[in-house]
Amino acid sequence: MGGDVPEARRLNRAVGFDGGIPDEALHLVMGYVDDPRDREAASRVCRRWLRVDALTRKHVTVAFCYAADPARLRDRFPRLESLALKGKPRAAMYGLIPDDWGAYAAPWFAELAAPLECLKALHLRRITVTDADITVLVRARGHMLQELKLDKCIGFSTDALRLVARSCRSLRTLFLEECSVTDKGGEWLHELAVNCSVLVALNFYMTELKVAPADLELLAENCKSLISLKMSECDLSDLISFFQTANALQDFAGGAFYEVGELSKYEKVKFPPTLCLLGLTYMGTDEMPIIFPFSTKLKKLDLQYTFLTTEDHCQIIAKCPNLLVLEVRNVIGDRGLEVVGDTCKKLRRLRIERGDDDPGLQEEKGGVSQLGLTAVAVGCRELEYIAAYVSDITNGALESIGTFCKNLYDFRLVLLDREKQVTDLPLDNGVRALLRNCTKLRRFALYLRPGGLSDAGLSYIGQYSGNIQYMLLGNVGESDHGLIRFAVGCTNLRKLELRSCCFSERALSLAVLQMPSLRYIWVQGYRASQTGRDLLLMARPLWNIEFTPPSPESFSHVTEDGEPCVDSHAQVLAYYSLAGRRSDCPRWVIPLHPA
Amino acid sequence: MGGEEMAGRATAAASAAGKDKSSFAVTCSLLSKYLKEKKGGLLGLDLGMPPPPPAAAVRAGGAFRLPPTTMNLLSALDAPPAEKQNAADSVPLSLDKAGAEPPLNAPTDDQNAREEAVEQARPLTIFYGGKVVVFDNFPSTKVKDLLKIVRSGDGVDKSMPRPAHNDLPIARRNSLHRFLEKRKGRITGNAPYQDSSPVASSKKANGDRSWLGFGQEVTINQEII
């Protein structure tokens, strides 16, 4: 750009005052702007840009379904092609939110399915979707639907899947992972195989759906573009033919090893040569060798649902130098993590889930500590995502992560509560170091125990929160002071989940008012009153406050000075909404504001 | 008001907010401001402020974002992150149930102090008795005095009562829970699909059936039926 052009003239041209950019050109240019934040910025420049953005916006994510009104969304983005909608609080994935809490697809489909004529991709997460809802969707959009993702949804049956399979011939992606589906028979898969020849990805992993291996073979035959199948349990030896036919398959998860110690049966399974993403359910020590021939090709390995020991993990991971994603339970142990640090130099994502607490139930003495975490931090410098359930931790380990994992954008740590002794608490300094050094961090979770993080430590989290947009904090801080000081620092925090904390309602409200970007907060386990009265301190326009009162038994528990103590049932959910108060709250959720 | 000042603030805010702050967003804000000025004022003509976006995009904060109307009271907190430290210093100190009392008023000699220490004046927010007061230019020289006044009163409640019991267990993820329950089923030998090889029976643990059905409802593999 010519450095001497006066600013005023340059800007004039940009906005088209001097006969500059015509609308068509603006449409075209806008079409290249994909990032939602950039789109939002562009839409706020002036009315003309708002209009052009509205007409050219291809995808919208409604991060919380009660924050927006479907009709309004339809009116603003009439040419929307792709919509993502999230419902129940995340806690639903941990069994903490009853099914009748809410988040229904019905009003959305009613308003959007027919009028949005360009809609071809839909992603619903933690939402109740009925057969009737899917019928409405398919009737309006079936001929165009390319992607249907029902992610941890409940309420529908295989009848709806049959309808989708029969009507949506353009379907490329059908995703049903972890849905609760009423199984009325496996014909839906047969219909899918027969009708949807352009299918690329099919996922019914972590469901209880029963399917016939013959239909999977038919799927492999007809859907030549199929590169991903993640399925429910099915003996792997029944899939031999499927794997032979689906020779372009890259991603497989599920199956099952039903017969322990029968390696000869499973040895015959030959995986497609392109396979590089893998997760095998119930795989044990004896069956593990079937992966060895192609282990160096593996980019993703999911061992969360296997029966492998610590030693097994060491052995198999040593053979996978090209892993980008690794998901395990904490049986991997520090030893296994050392192997990860030594071997998986390209690792981007690491998830260490919580195994069985009870000793003696085949879970070898695993458990992950600062030793393993440090080994991983030092060895895997490309890490972007770390989620770990640890049994022990030190400040030093967190500092190491801060020092070595510069690309980290998502960090989650849960300190399990089995071990009485933790090497190094509080974690104030380690947390500070990690947050200061991992400047790309956007999501952060820290779940500790009393004494795990002092008020000063909690204030560090706020102070060094940087660009973090989502946080889950559990058992942190010592008092309301810590919470307020934390809140003052969080300029970019948009979504906050708090659990098992000692804070009062008053402090929660005041803290919320301190956080300028906060649009959603969920709290469970705090010093709740019976009515949630002090929550009204955060009442303001467009801010919905919903309260689940503490259970009657715990109401009688008070501390020495008469203050209510932490209640395990009381919940608070507060969020910005342009849709007004919820009209479909269950009986046990009280909308406090708007009244 | 002038372009240079805006550009200066923009770069400062952009660099202070972290490397990833979208320069596109900053530029759009600049453009928007320029348009409004060009059209002679804030809510001018047909190039006035766009309507509030849907909640999918609702967000406050940041140096240049038009704050939603609900944020007016907290304009102090919209200051660029470089001033985060000072905001932390002005944390309200008393969270006791003080009852409904009138909000604190600024000291009367604020005017003089402001003139003297205009470079040190920063926003101050006070939460008191359920009310919020915001001072745009509270001189730092007066902050110490203010803190003295507050501390000498009720005093900081250092002894915030700890919860008597906090027995909220760490919740387990549904998918993992289901898997672990199924595994228990296989170990205790109650699943019909488990064969009777010596390997399997040797792995039988305490066979405690009470573990089944603990916590969440167990999803039994349909082959059992």
Side-chain angles (χ1 to χ4, degrees):
Chain A
M1 293 262 275
D4 290 329
V5 177
E7 219 178 68
R9 216 166 29 134
R10 210 192 302 157
L11 281 174
N12 267 338
R13 258 194 253 136
V15 209
F17 288 131
D18 294 340
I21 305 177
D23 260 5
E24 302 82 43
L26 199 53
H27 273 251
L28 281 171
V29 171
M30 211 55 107
Y32 287 103
V33 179
D34 283 327
D35 181 79
R37 235 132 291 167
D38 287 347
R39 274 290 183 146
E40 192 201 331
S43 71
R44 285 166 173 261
V45 169
C46 60
R47 276 195 193 285
R48 181 173 171 234
W49 283 42
L50 176 75
R51 220 165 34 238
V52 175
D53 164 62
L55 292 173
T56 57
R57 185 96 67 115
K58 299 248 181 354
H59 172 83
V60 164
T61 296
V62 181
F64 182 51
C65 62
Y66 288 113
D69 174 56
R72 199 173 167 146
L73 186 80
R74 171 203 69 210
D75 291 342
R76 181 167 171 196
F77 300 110
R79 304 230 196 115
L80 202 61
E81 295 181 12
S82 162
L83 174 67
L85 201 58
K86 296 188 193 175
K88 291 199 188 73
R90 273 185 75 256
M93 301 191 298
Y94 297 84
L96 299 174
I97 310 281
D99 282 351
D100 65 340
W101 178 87
Y104 303 101
W108 292 87
F109 287 9
E111 294 286 354
L112 299 177
L116 289 183
E117 293 177 346
C118 304
L119 191 69
K120 54 188 189 192
L122 203 53
H123 181 176
L124 304 184
R125 189 167 160 100
R126 296 191 294 268
I127 292 190
T128 301
V129 188
T130 63
D131 286 358
D133 296 332
I134 294 181
T135 308
V136 166
L137 176 71
V138 163
R139 279 217 185 104
R141 296 261 69 78
H143 59 293
M144 283 193 51
L145 208 58
Q146 291 184 15
E147 257 185 46
L148 180 61
K149 292 184 177 172
L150 302 174
D151 184 355
K152 300 178 183 61
C153 294
I154 63 175
F156 61 101
S157 79
T158 46
D159 287 347
L161 296 180
R162 273 174 66 185
L163 183 63
V164 168
R166 276 206 293 266
S167 325
C168 305
R169 290 172 188 252
S170 309
L171 207 60
R172 285 161 176 55
T173 299
L174 180 61
F175 179 110
L176 306 166
E177 188 166 315
E178 246 190 292
C179 284
S180 233
V181 189
T182 307
D183 198 346
K184 296 184 182 175
E187 296 85 18
W188 65 273
L189 181 60
H190 185 87
E191 299 275 3
L192 199 69
V194 165
N195 293 304
C196 303
S197 56
V198 295
L199 198 68
V200 168
L202 174 62
N203 183 332
F204 53 103
Y205 196 37
M206 299 285 115
T207 67
E208 303 293 330
L209 293 171
K210 283 289 148 227
V211 295
D215 288 333
L216 285 173
E217 284 154 37
L218 191 61
L219 191 79
E221 289 253 349
N222 290 348
C223 306
K224 286 301 167 197
S225 313
L226 192 74
I227 60 172
S228 170
L229 175 69
K230 298 173 88 165
M231 57 176 296
S232 54
E233 288 178 32
C234 165
D235 195 276
L236 213 65
S237 58
D238 291 338
L239 298 177
I240 291 174
S241 188
F242 166 77
F243 286 128
Q244 275 167 352
T245 319
N247 46 23
L249 201 70
Q250 295 173 18
D251 180 13
F252 179 80
F257 294 88
Y258 282 147
E259 299 203 22
V260 179
E262 287 291 325
L263 180 59
S264 53
K265 182 176 172 192
Y266 298 114
E267 257 173 346
K268 296 192 205 97
V269 177
K270 292 281 175 271
F271 291 103
T274 40
L275 197 70
C276 55
L277 315 170
L278 186 62
L280 295 174
T281 309
Y282 303 150
M283 183 171 68
T285 313
D286 296 330
E287 295 82 44
M288 204 172 60
I290 67 172
I291 303 189
F292 291 173
F294 59 98
S295 63
T296 51
K297 286 195 223 171
L298 288 177
K299 294 192 201 158
K300 172 175 171 176
L301 191 56
D302 180 0
L303 303 175
Q304 291 175 106
Y305 310 107
T306 61
F307 294 157
L308 302 180
T309 63
T310 306
E311 182 56 47
D312 293 337
H313 280 81
C314 294
Q315 197 183 0
I316 190 164
I317 291 169
K319 296 179 190 290
C320 301
N322 293 310
L323 279 185
L324 299 177
V325 179
L326 178 63
E327 293 169 322
V328 295
R329 294 193 316 280
N330 58 355
V331 63
I332 190 177
D334 285 335
R335 272 203 300 139
L337 288 183
E338 277 159 25
V339 175
V340 173
D342 287 338
T343 315
C344 308
K345 296 301 183 189
K346 304 180 190 173
L347 201 66
R348 303 259 180 93
R349 294 176 64 95
L350 175 64
R351 183 171 184 88
I352 306 166
E353 261 291 351
R354 175 186 176 194
D356 213 311
D357 294 332
D358 196 33
L361 272 172
Q362 210 181 21
E363 189 91 338
E364 197 187 282
K365 270 296 171 196
V368 160
S369 77
Q370 60 274 11
L371 296 171
L373 275 190
T374 306
V376 160
V378 169
C380 307
R381 309 286 176 100
E382 307 297 322
L383 277 169
E384 296 169 358
Y385 172 102
I386 299 176
Y389 283 79
V390 300
S391 311
D392 194 4
I393 188 70
T394 58
N395 282 285
L398 298 179
E399 281 158 19
S400 295
I401 294 173
T403 305
F404 296 110
C405 301
K406 291 298 187 195
N407 289 331
L408 212 55
Y409 80 85
D410 192 333
F411 179 77
R412 308 181 192 214
L413 185 82
V414 178
L415 178 60
L416 292 171
D417 50 11
R418 301 272 311 183
E419 301 297 323
K420 290 274 183 287
Q421 277 293 105
V422 176
T423 301
D424 185 16
L425 291 183
L427 294 174
D428 297 6
N429 293 333
V431 168
R432 177 174 51 178
L434 192 151
L435 291 176
R436 258 172 138 163
N437 290 316
C438 296
T439 53
K440 297 187 186 174
L441 216 53
R442 294 288 170 276
R443 300 164 84 79
F444 179 73
L446 192 64
Y447 204 113
L448 303 174
R449 57 175 67 176
L453 197 75
S454 72
D455 277 349
L458 188 49
S459 75
Y460 294 155
I461 299 184
Q463 188 179 358
Y464 298 104
S465 61
N467 288 316
I468 296 178
Q469 288 160 7
Y470 162 77
M471 279 200 211
L472 161 64
L473 299 175
N475 264 319
V476 294
E478 303 161 288
S479 73
D480 287 347
H481 288 292
L483 181 66
I484 298 295
R485 285 161 70 191
F486 157 79
V488 164
C490 290
T491 35
N492 290 313
L493 194 65
R494 302 164 76 170
K495 179 171 174 180
L496 177 63
E497 294 174 340
L498 290 175
R499 193 159 185 268
S500 189
C501 291
C502 57
F503 312 125
S504 64
E505 265 169 12
R506 171 177 290 254
L508 284 175
S509 295
L510 297 181
V512 164
L513 293 176
Q514 296 273 15
M515 294 185 271
S517 300
L518 194 74
R519 60 185 190 179
Y520 177 108
I521 178 168
W522 177 85
V523 185
Q524 185 197 30
Y526 73 105
R527 288 166 48 208
S529 66
Q530 196 57 28
T531 56
R533 180 201 55 177
D534 280 350
L535 296 173
L536 289 170
L537 287 171
M538 60 170 167
R540 50 200 175 166
L542 304 181
W543 183 252
N544 288 9
I545 306 173
E546 293 169 16
F547 176 63
T548 300
S551 59
E553 311 88 61
S554 59
F555 182 58
S556 54
H557 295 151
V558 289
T559 55
E560 309 81 62
D561 66 347
E563 285 289 327
C565 63
V566 175
D567 176 82
S568 48
H569 300 277
Q571 281 187 37
V572 179
L573 177 63
Y575 54 95
Y576 273 124
S577 175
L578 292 176
R581 174 182 145 146
R582 259 183 80 178
S583 54
D584 56 8
C585 283
R587 194 167 282 254
W588 45 274
V589 173
I590 319 282
L592 289 183
H593 181 85
Chain B
M1 277 299 262
E4 302 96 61
E5 195 198 71
M6 283 202 310
R9 272 187 81 192
T11 15
S15 54
K19 290 169 248 183
D20 286 6
K21 176 84 178 171
S22 161
S23 61
F24 180 81
V26 169
T27 311
C28 283
S29 309
L30 269 179
L31 185 57
S32 185
K33 290 217 174 218
Y34 171 78
L35 285 174
K36 288 185 194 84
E37 282 179 15
K38 188 161 171 74
K39 281 298 166 183
L42 274 179
L43 300 165
L45 311 174
D46 57 334
L47 282 183
M49 297 211 277
V58 164
R59 208 164 20 114
F64 289 98
R65 200 149 287 116
L66 300 166
T69 49
T70 55
M71 286 293 141
N72 281 342
L73 214 65
L74 303 169
S75 58
L77 297 164
D78 282 346
E83 299 197 1
K84 250 193 298 191
Q85 285 286 22
N86 297 298
D89 289 342
S90 64
V91 157
L93 297 168
S94 173
L95 295 167
D96 287 342
K97 292 186 299 206
E101 297 203 10
L104 281 177
N105 292 313
T108 48
D109 56 344
D110 190 36
Q111 205 67 23
N112 302 329
R114 199 179 294 153
E115 276 149 19
E116 285 172 44
V118 65
E119 284 160 37
Q120 299 297 321
R122 292 196 174 97
L124 172 71
T125 306
I126 294 180
F127 295 83
Y128 190 79
K131 296 195 168 72
V132 180
V133 183
V134 176
F135 304 98
D136 281 330
N137 291 298
F138 199 81
S140 58
T141 49
K142 291 295 170 190
V143 172
K144 276 207 182 100
D145 297 344
L146 187 60
L147 293 180
K148 256 191 244 160
I149 294 170
V150 176
R151 281 196 183 114
S152 66
D154 235 348
V156 177
D157 48 350
K158 284 179 285 223
S159 55
M160 219 51 194
R162 300 277 178 97
H165 37 257
N166 182 0
D167 52 3
L168 215 53
I170 298 176
R172 204 185 276 288
R173 203 169 172 117
N174 294 344
S175 52
L176 259 304
H177 180 89
R178 278 193 294 268
F179 165 76
L180 293 171
E181 290 297 316
K182 284 182 187 173
R183 189 177 70 163
K184 280 180 189 133
R186 284 167 69 114
I187 293 167
T188 58
N190 288 312
Y193 48 70
Q194 185 177 13
D195 71 347
S196 52
S197 72
V199 179
S201 48
S202 71
K203 283 185 180 144
K204 240 183 229 179
N206 26 18
D208 189 2
R209 290 199 67 173
S210 64
W211 286 107
L212 286 170
F214 172 78
Q216 278 184 301
E217 192 188 32
V218 176
T219 34
I220 311 284
N221 190 304
Q222 290 193 348
E223 279 186 14
I224 292 176
I225 306 166

